[in-house]
Amino acid sequence: MFSGLCAFPLTPLSNGQLDEESFSRIMARLTAAGVDSLGILGSTGSYAYLTRQQRQRVIQLARQLAGDIPLMACVGSVSGDEILRLAEDAQQAGADALLLSVICYQSLRDEEVYRLFETVTQQVSLPVCIYDNPSTTHFRYSDQLLGQLSALPGVRSVKIPGISGDHDTVKQRISQLRSQLDPGTVIGISGDAFAASGLTAGCEVWYSVCGGLFPRISKQITRAAVAGDTQQVMALSARLEPLWALFRKHGGSLRVIAAAAGILGLTARDNLPRPLLPLPESDLPEIAEVIEPLALE
Amino acid sequence: MFSGLCAFPLTPLSNGQLDEESFSRIMARLTAAGVDSLGILGSTGSYAYLTRQQRQRVIQLARQLAGDIPLMACVGSVSGDEILRLAEDAQQAGADALLLSVICYQSLRDEEVYRLFETVTQQVSLPVCIYDNPSTTHFRYSDQLLGQLSALPGVRSVKIPGISGDHDTVKQRISQLRSQLDPGTVIGISGDAFAASGLTAGCEVWYSVCGGLFPRISKQITRAAVAGDTQQVMALSARLEPLWALFRKHGGSLRVIAAAAGILGLTARDNLPRPLLPLPESDLPEIAEVIEPLALE
């Protein structure tokens, strides 16, 4: 489950309803490319905007479509009780692992987050990955807390945000974090533009938005990383730089990936949950120019 | 609806279930004190942690208990579709107004928030108050956006966060905001420690957490403000300074008010929704010392 490329597909909606056909088309790309695992409902998968029933349906559908590919389902909420219900749902729907996301409304204390992870890992038997993404959840994990959580039975991985800086800086940061974690805890990098530097600095998995739409080039990157071919990793990531530039320009990956899925004919042009709106038509030519060559890879 | 003291009661829970008896006890204090209106489910009312069914039940119960006192219900979610469902529920359950809270998961653009308010005000006939509280919702309203929203038919008030600074600074800020708003839009102050300065600088209503547990002294403050007795407003607020100090010490009002409700015997000691935990026992004597004289007012 926790190695190589973990692809995070979009969850396309149509008028607030799950667009199952479009989701199936996206899933078919990922299974055909042989991604190492799937990260269903994670940020780009819009879990935070979906009802409990919708989330369970996405996992059931993904389970049917994924074949033997391991499936991690994001369960996250402001409410601890809802997280427990979602975790049970995910287990019943056939997920192989949970990506556990604690969203802050009131600021949370470390002990509150610890107790929540403790309760979930006691109640559910699936392995758990910690979702560390302060830009969306507004919770900042200290290394100390990550260390405490990693010692809970069941916690197997942490998905960390991208780290800026040169190779040595990133390597030092990963080593520092690893020294706090329970041995064997898998560190996975996210923030796609930072994936190459994370992977070459010791992260063992790429929790990848890009991989959710462009799985072939993404898999080439993780394969080169496993082979220790740093030059190839950096060269492939450099080819994706125009995509990273679009993510920066549009304040994150989701709206760009949603537009790209529409341009590629996988989904309707408007596939986002409200209140999110699709990017305006005037932004589409630039996105098309960047993604069409990537889609042919 | 939009004047004087709008009291925001706690929504006490017990093992994740609504504690209706405790809620009724809190409501009885507020109706006995003759608060001008009630702000049900708003931040201290823990809306963000409750299911759709729980929220509807709170409004129904509050409606039964409130008599003739106008009732504003907070409807808020990350999801726009869920906000629409909650707004319908609130209307059906007998709310007189909506406090509309848009919670950010992905960062939101002004246009996205505008379209959401437009849709809600088209679908629901209740007057709407804009919930501007970036510390919990992570959305920052510009004055320009507040102005545009206030021009929507149905938008009647904005609940603003506390403003720091001396009297002239606060007055200037309120005037500046008012110049952007549709005429007749009611500006309500929140952030209890800043209420006195907001009220004396031109805010017409106090959206008050303190008023949700200590309605008598809170009502004295708004009554003095209406009478233009600035000195009395400031003197009464100064008596509450030890409570404001507790709010600062414990990172906000919710955990303090929850502890206070337990100390006063209105609720169980543990009345918060998970993942929130009650303050430790060791914090309770200091809180008791501050609140017991206030409860006797």
Side-chain angles (χ1 to χ4, degrees):
Chain A
M1 176 82 236
F2 300 115
S3 65
L5 177 66
C6 182
F8 278 51
L10 187 74
T11 306
L13 298 180
S14 173
N15 293 318
Q17 303 301 310
L18 182 61
D19 179 350
E20 298 196 2
E21 275 186 42
S22 296
F23 182 70
S24 302
R25 273 193 288 272
I26 293 172
M27 285 289 290
R29 279 169 81 91
L30 307 183
T31 54
V35 299
D36 298 301
S37 63
L38 289 152
I40 300 300
L41 291 171
S43 283
T44 316
S46 290
Y47 74 94
Y49 299 88
L50 303 181
T51 65
R52 183 177 164 193
Q53 290 71 24
Q54 287 175 320
R55 300 190 207 193
Q56 189 164 30
R57 178 65 190 142
V58 173
I59 303 169
Q60 285 168 344
L61 196 56
R63 180 73 285 163
Q64 289 166 23
L65 299 166
D68 292 337
I69 299 176
L71 203 70
M72 180 166 72
C74 186
V75 299
S77 176
V78 164
S79 157
D81 292 340
E82 186 73 0
I83 285 177
L84 283 172
R85 291 187 285 265
L86 292 164
E88 289 283 355
D89 288 351
Q91 181 160 285
Q92 281 179 25
D96 299 300
L98 302 180
L99 178 58
L100 191 51
S101 168
V102 183
I103 305 176
C104 278
Y105 182 76
Q106 302 285 344
S107 301
L108 293 176
R109 296 160 182 217
D110 283 4
E111 191 196 344
E112 293 170 332
V113 172
Y114 182 83
R115 295 275 166 234
L116 180 61
F117 272 83
E118 188 180 51
T119 308
V120 172
T121 52
Q122 280 166 357
Q123 295 204 7
V124 178
S125 59
L126 299 178
V128 167
C129 175
I130 304 161
Y131 187 74
D132 179 5
N133 188 357
S135 69
T136 52
T137 66
H138 305 287
F139 184 75
R140 289 195 180 275
Y141 289 88
S142 65
D143 285 0
Q144 192 191 4
L145 178 60
L146 289 174
Q148 289 164 347
L149 293 175
S150 73
L152 286 168
V155 173
R156 290 287 312 283
S157 178
V158 52
K159 172 184 175 295
I160 62 169
I163 305 158
S164 344
D166 63 17
H167 182 71
D168 285 348
T169 309
V170 178
K171 202 163 178 175
Q172 201 174 3
R173 169 73 196 115
I174 302 289
S175 304
Q176 186 187 34
L177 173 60
R178 198 176 293 286
S179 72
Q180 299 287 312
L181 298 178
D182 203 54
T185 308
V186 172
I187 303 178
I189 191 74
S190 65
D192 284 358
F194 303 96
S197 66
L199 289 166
T200 58
C203 293
E204 295 131 308
V205 55
W206 179 14
Y207 294 122
S208 175
V209 168
C210 172
L213 203 55
F214 306 107
R216 285 192 298 257
I217 186 166
S218 303
K219 218 189 151 190
Q220 288 173 47
I221 290 176
T222 54
R223 205 182 285 129
V226 168
D229 188 348
T230 301
Q231 212 175 350
Q232 174 71 346
V233 171
M234 301 315 279
L236 288 163
S237 181
R239 278 176 44 208
L240 289 163
E241 173 51 36
L243 184 61
W244 313 151
L246 288 173
F247 290 178
R248 288 192 295 271
K249 175 174 175 180
H250 296 290
S253 54
L254 178 58
R255 290 180 184 82
V256 174
I257 289 290
I263 292 167
L264 295 175
L266 296 165
T267 69
R269 286 295 167 100
D270 178 1
N271 56 43
L272 287 171
R274 294 292 169 270
L276 305 175
L277 294 173
L279 292 176
E281 288 287 323
S282 56
D283 283 321
L284 299 186
E286 189 191 20
I287 295 173
E289 202 178 329
V290 169
I291 59 136
E292 277 163 0
L294 296 177
L296 297 174
E297 295 272 346
Chain B
M1 176 81 238
F2 299 115
S3 64
L5 177 65
C6 182
F8 277 52
L10 187 73
T11 306
L13 298 180
S14 173
N15 293 318
Q17 303 301 310
L18 182 62
D19 178 352
E20 298 195 3
E21 275 186 41
S22 297
F23 182 70
S24 301
R25 273 192 289 271
I26 294 172
M27 285 288 291
R29 279 168 82 90
L30 308 183
T31 53
V35 299
D36 298 300
S37 63
L38 288 151
I40 300 302
L41 292 170
S43 282
T44 315
S46 290
Y47 74 94
Y49 299 88
L50 304 181
T51 64
R52 182 177 165 193
Q53 291 71 25
Q54 287 175 321
R55 301 191 207 192
Q56 190 164 29
R57 177 65 189 142
V58 173
I59 303 168
Q60 285 167 345
L61 195 56
R63 181 70 286 162
Q64 288 165 24
L65 299 165
D68 291 338
I69 300 176
L71 203 69
M72 178 166 72
C74 185
V75 299
S77 175
V78 165
S79 156
D81 292 339
E82 186 72 2
I83 286 177
L84 283 171
R85 290 187 285 266
L86 292 165
E88 290 282 355
D89 288 350
Q91 182 160 285
Q92 280 180 24
D96 299 300
L98 302 180
L99 178 58
L100 191 52
S101 168
V102 182
I103 305 175
C104 279
Y105 182 77
Q106 303 284 344
S107 302
L108 293 175
R109 297 160 181 218
D110 283 4
E111 191 195 345
E112 293 170 332
V113 172
Y114 181 83
R115 295 275 167 233
L116 180 60
F117 272 84
E118 188 180 52
T119 309
V120 172
T121 52
Q122 279 165 358
Q123 296 204 6
V124 178
S125 60
L126 298 178
V128 167
C129 175
I130 304 162
Y131 187 74
D132 179 5
N133 187 358
S135 69
T136 52
T137 66
H138 305 284
F139 184 74
R140 290 194 180 276
Y141 288 88
S142 65
D143 285 1
Q144 192 191 4
L145 178 59
L146 289 173
Q148 289 164 347
L149 293 176
S150 73
L152 286 168
V155 173
R156 289 285 311 283
S157 179
V158 53
K159 173 185 174 293
I160 63 169
I163 305 158
S164 342
D166 63 16
H167 182 73
D168 285 348
T169 309
V170 178
K171 200 162 179 175
Q172 200 174 4
R173 168 71 196 116
I174 303 287
S175 305
Q176 185 188 34
L177 173 60
R178 198 176 293 285
S179 72
Q180 299 289 311
L181 298 177
D182 204 54
T185 307
V186 173
I187 302 178
I189 191 74
S190 66
D192 284 357
F194 304 97
S197 65
L199 289 166
T200 56
C203 292
E204 296 130 308
V205 56
W206 179 14
Y207 295 121
S208 175
V209 169
C210 173
L213 203 56
F214 306 107
R216 285 192 300 257
I217 186 164
S218 303
K219 217 186 153 189
Q220 287 173 47
I221 290 176
T222 54
R223 206 182 286 129
V226 168
D229 188 347
T230 300
Q231 213 174 347
Q232 173 72 346
V233 172
M234 300 316 277
L236 288 163
S237 181
R239 278 179 40 210
L240 290 165
E241 174 52 35
L243 185 62
W244 313 151
L246 288 174
F247 290 178
R248 287 191 295 271
K249 176 176 175 178
H250 295 290
S253 54
L254 177 58
R255 289 179 184 84
V256 175
I257 289 290
I263 291 167
L264 296 174
L266 296 166
T267 68
R269 287 293 167 100
D270 178 1
N271 56 43
L272 288 171
R274 296 290 171 269
L276 304 176
L277 294 172
L279 291 175
E281 288 287 324
S282 55
D283 283 322
L284 300 186
E286 188 190 23
I287 296 172
E289 203 178 329
V290 169
I291 59 137
E292 278 164 0
L294 296 178
L296 298 175
E297 296 271 347

Short mmCIF file of all heavy atoms in Angstrom, two decimals, chain A residues 36-62:
data_model
loop_
_atom_site.label_atom_id
_atom_site.label_comp_id
_atom_site.label_asym_id
_atom_site.label_seq_id
_atom_site.Cartn_x
_atom_site.Cartn_y
_atom_site.Cartn_z
N ASP A 36 0.58 2.26 -8.20
CA ASP A 36 0.84 1.33 -7.09
C ASP A 36 -0.30 1.29 -6.09
O ASP A 36 -0.56 0.27 -5.47
CB ASP A 36 2.15 1.73 -6.39
CG ASP A 36 3.34 1.63 -7.34
OD1 ASP A 36 3.58 0.52 -7.86
OD2 ASP A 36 3.98 2.66 -7.61
N SER A 37 -0.95 2.42 -5.91
CA SER A 37 -2.13 2.46 -5.04
C SER A 37 -2.98 3.67 -5.42
O SER A 37 -2.56 4.52 -6.20
CB SER A 37 -1.73 2.52 -3.56
OG SER A 37 -1.02 3.70 -3.29
N LEU A 38 -4.17 3.71 -4.84
CA LEU A 38 -5.12 4.80 -5.13
C LEU A 38 -5.48 5.52 -3.84
O LEU A 38 -5.71 4.88 -2.81
CB LEU A 38 -6.38 4.22 -5.77
CG LEU A 38 -6.18 3.72 -7.20
CD1 LEU A 38 -7.14 2.60 -7.53
CD2 LEU A 38 -6.35 4.88 -8.18
N GLY A 39 -5.51 6.85 -3.91
CA GLY A 39 -5.88 7.67 -2.75
C GLY A 39 -7.23 8.32 -3.04
O GLY A 39 -7.30 9.43 -3.57
N ILE A 40 -8.29 7.60 -2.68
CA ILE A 40 -9.64 8.03 -3.04
C ILE A 40 -10.14 9.12 -2.08
O ILE A 40 -9.90 9.03 -0.87
CB ILE A 40 -10.59 6.81 -2.96
CG1 ILE A 40 -10.12 5.73 -3.93
CG2 ILE A 40 -12.03 7.18 -3.26
CD1 ILE A 40 -10.08 6.15 -5.36
N LEU A 41 -10.81 10.11 -2.60
CA LEU A 41 -11.51 11.14 -1.82
C LEU A 41 -10.58 12.17 -1.18
O LEU A 41 -11.04 13.17 -0.65
CB LEU A 41 -12.38 10.51 -0.72
CG LEU A 41 -13.62 9.73 -1.15
CD1 LEU A 41 -14.21 9.00 0.05
CD2 LEU A 41 -14.66 10.67 -1.74
N GLY A 42 -9.26 11.93 -1.23
CA GLY A 42 -8.30 12.91 -0.69
C GLY A 42 -8.49 14.28 -1.35
O GLY A 42 -9.15 14.38 -2.37
N SER A 43 -7.88 15.32 -0.76
CA SER A 43 -8.22 16.71 -1.13
C SER A 43 -8.81 16.90 -2.53
O SER A 43 -9.92 17.39 -2.66
CB SER A 43 -7.00 17.62 -0.99
OG SER A 43 -6.79 17.91 0.37
N THR A 44 -8.08 16.50 -3.56
CA THR A 44 -8.57 16.65 -4.93
C THR A 44 -9.81 15.78 -5.15
O THR A 44 -10.59 16.01 -6.06
CB THR A 44 -7.48 16.23 -5.93
OG1 THR A 44 -6.26 16.81 -5.50
CG2 THR A 44 -7.79 16.69 -7.33
N GLY A 45 -9.98 14.81 -4.29
CA GLY A 45 -11.16 13.95 -4.33
C GLY A 45 -12.35 14.56 -3.62
O GLY A 45 -13.42 13.96 -3.53
N SER A 46 -12.15 15.77 -3.09
CA SER A 46 -13.26 16.61 -2.58
C SER A 46 -14.05 16.00 -1.43
O SER A 46 -15.22 16.35 -1.24
CB SER A 46 -14.23 16.98 -3.72
OG SER A 46 -13.60 17.89 -4.59
N TYR A 47 -13.41 15.14 -0.63
CA TYR A 47 -14.13 14.51 0.49
C TYR A 47 -14.87 15.53 1.34
O TYR A 47 -15.99 15.28 1.80
CB TYR A 47 -13.18 13.70 1.38
CG TYR A 47 -12.27 14.51 2.25
CD1 TYR A 47 -12.61 14.80 3.57
CD2 TYR A 47 -11.07 15.00 1.77
CE1 TYR A 47 -11.79 15.56 4.37
CE2 TYR A 47 -10.23 15.75 2.56
CZ TYR A 47 -10.60 16.05 3.86
OH TYR A 47 -9.78 16.81 4.64
N ALA A 48 -14.24 16.68 1.57
CA ALA A 48 -14.79 17.65 2.53
C ALA A 48 -16.12 18.23 2.08
O ALA A 48 -16.86 18.79 2.88
CB ALA A 48 -13.78 18.77 2.77
N TYR A 49 -16.44 18.06 0.78
CA TYR A 49 -17.67 18.66 0.23
C TYR A 49 -18.79 17.63 0.07
O TYR A 49 -19.88 17.99 -0.37
CB TYR A 49 -17.37 19.28 -1.14
CG TYR A 49 -16.35 20.38 -1.05
CD1 TYR A 49 -14.98 20.11 -1.12
CD2 TYR A 49 -16.74 21.70 -0.81
CE1 TYR A 49 -14.04 21.12 -0.99
CE2 TYR A 49 -15.81 22.70 -0.68
CZ TYR A 49 -14.46 22.41 -0.77
OH TYR A 49 -13.54 23.41 -0.63
N LEU A 50 -18.49 16.37 0.37
CA LEU A 50 -19.44 15.29 0.06
C LEU A 50 -20.16 14.80 1.32
O LEU A 50 -19.60 14.83 2.42
CB LEU A 50 -18.70 14.12 -0.58
CG LEU A 50 -17.91 14.46 -1.86
CD1 LEU A 50 -17.25 13.20 -2.41
CD2 LEU A 50 -18.78 15.09 -2.92
N THR A 51 -21.39 14.30 1.12
CA THR A 51 -22.12 13.71 2.23
C THR A 51 -21.50 12.35 2.57
O THR A 51 -20.76 11.76 1.77
CB THR A 51 -23.60 13.48 1.88
OG1 THR A 51 -23.67 12.51 0.82
CG2 THR A 51 -24.29 14.77 1.43
N ARG A 52 -21.88 11.86 3.73
CA ARG A 52 -21.43 10.53 4.15
C ARG A 52 -21.81 9.48 3.10
O ARG A 52 -21.01 8.61 2.74
CB ARG A 52 -22.08 10.22 5.50
CG ARG A 52 -21.66 8.92 6.11
CD ARG A 52 -22.31 8.74 7.49
NE ARG A 52 -22.19 7.35 7.88
CZ ARG A 52 -22.85 6.78 8.90
NH1 ARG A 52 -23.67 7.53 9.63
NH2 ARG A 52 -22.69 5.52 9.20
N GLN A 53 -23.03 9.57 2.59
CA GLN A 53 -23.51 8.59 1.61
C GLN A 53 -22.70 8.69 0.31
O GLN A 53 -22.34 7.67 -0.28
CB GLN A 53 -25.01 8.82 1.30
CG GLN A 53 -25.95 8.47 2.45
CD GLN A 53 -25.88 9.46 3.63
OE1 GLN A 53 -25.49 10.61 3.46
NE2 GLN A 53 -26.23 9.01 4.83
N GLN A 54 -22.42 9.91 -0.11
CA GLN A 54 -21.64 10.08 -1.35
C GLN A 54 -20.24 9.51 -1.19
O GLN A 54 -19.70 8.88 -2.11
CB GLN A 54 -21.56 11.56 -1.73
CG GLN A 54 -22.87 12.13 -2.28
CD GLN A 54 -22.80 13.62 -2.53
OE1 GLN A 54 -22.23 14.37 -1.74
NE2 GLN A 54 -23.40 14.06 -3.64
N ARG A 55 -19.66 9.74 -0.03
CA ARG A 55 -18.29 9.23 0.17
C ARG A 55 -18.27 7.71 0.14
O ARG A 55 -17.39 7.09 -0.45
CB ARG A 55 -17.73 9.73 1.51
CG ARG A 55 -17.68 11.25 1.61
CD ARG A 55 -16.90 11.67 2.82
NE ARG A 55 -17.31 12.98 3.33
CZ ARG A 55 -16.62 13.67 4.21
NH1 ARG A 55 -15.50 13.20 4.72
NH2 ARG A 55 -17.05 14.84 4.63
N GLN A 56 -19.28 7.11 0.79
CA GLN A 56 -19.31 5.65 0.80
C GLN A 56 -19.49 5.10 -0.62
O GLN A 56 -18.82 4.14 -1.01
CB GLN A 56 -20.44 5.15 1.70
CG GLN A 56 -20.35 3.64 1.92
CD GLN A 56 -21.17 3.14 3.08
OE1 GLN A 56 -22.20 3.73 3.40
NE2 GLN A 56 -20.74 2.07 3.71
N ARG A 57 -20.32 5.77 -1.41
CA ARG A 57 -20.54 5.33 -2.79
C ARG A 57 -19.24 5.42 -3.61
O ARG A 57 -18.95 4.53 -4.41
CB ARG A 57 -21.65 6.17 -3.42
CG ARG A 57 -21.94 5.85 -4.86
CD ARG A 57 -22.49 4.45 -5.05
NE ARG A 57 -22.55 4.07 -6.47
CZ ARG A 57 -22.28 2.87 -6.94
NH1 ARG A 57 -21.96 1.88 -6.11
NH2 ARG A 57 -22.34 2.62 -8.24
N VAL A 58 -18.48 6.50 -3.40
CA VAL A 58 -17.21 6.65 -4.14
C VAL A 58 -16.26 5.49 -3.80
O VAL A 58 -15.63 4.91 -4.69
CB VAL A 58 -16.52 8.00 -3.82
CG1 VAL A 58 -15.13 8.07 -4.45
CG2 VAL A 58 -17.37 9.16 -4.32
N ILE A 59 -16.22 5.11 -2.55
CA ILE A 59 -15.31 4.02 -2.16
C ILE A 59 -15.80 2.69 -2.75
O ILE A 59 -15.00 1.91 -3.28
CB ILE A 59 -15.17 3.93 -0.62
CG1 ILE A 59 -14.68 5.26 -0.04
CG2 ILE A 59 -14.20 2.80 -0.24
CD1 ILE A 59 -14.76 5.34 1.48
N GLN A 60 -17.10 2.46 -2.67
CA GLN A 60 -17.65 1.22 -3.24
C GLN A 60 -17.32 1.12 -4.73
O GLN A 60 -16.88 0.08 -5.21
CB GLN A 60 -19.18 1.19 -3.07
CG GLN A 60 -19.62 0.88 -1.66
CD GLN A 60 -21.12 1.15 -1.45
OE1 GLN A 60 -21.75 1.83 -2.26
NE2 GLN A 60 -21.66 0.63 -0.36
N LEU A 61 -17.54 2.22 -5.42
CA LEU A 61 -17.31 2.25 -6.87
C LEU A 61 -15.82 2.05 -7.16
O LEU A 61 -15.44 1.25 -8.03
CB LEU A 61 -17.79 3.61 -7.39
CG LEU A 61 -18.01 3.81 -8.87
CD1 LEU A 61 -18.97 2.78 -9.44
CD2 LEU A 61 -18.56 5.22 -9.11
N ALA A 62 -14.99 2.75 -6.42
CA ALA A 62 -13.54 2.62 -6.61
C ALA A 62 -13.10 1.17 -6.36
O ALA A 62 -12.27 0.63 -7.08
CB ALA A 62 -12.79 3.58 -5.69
#
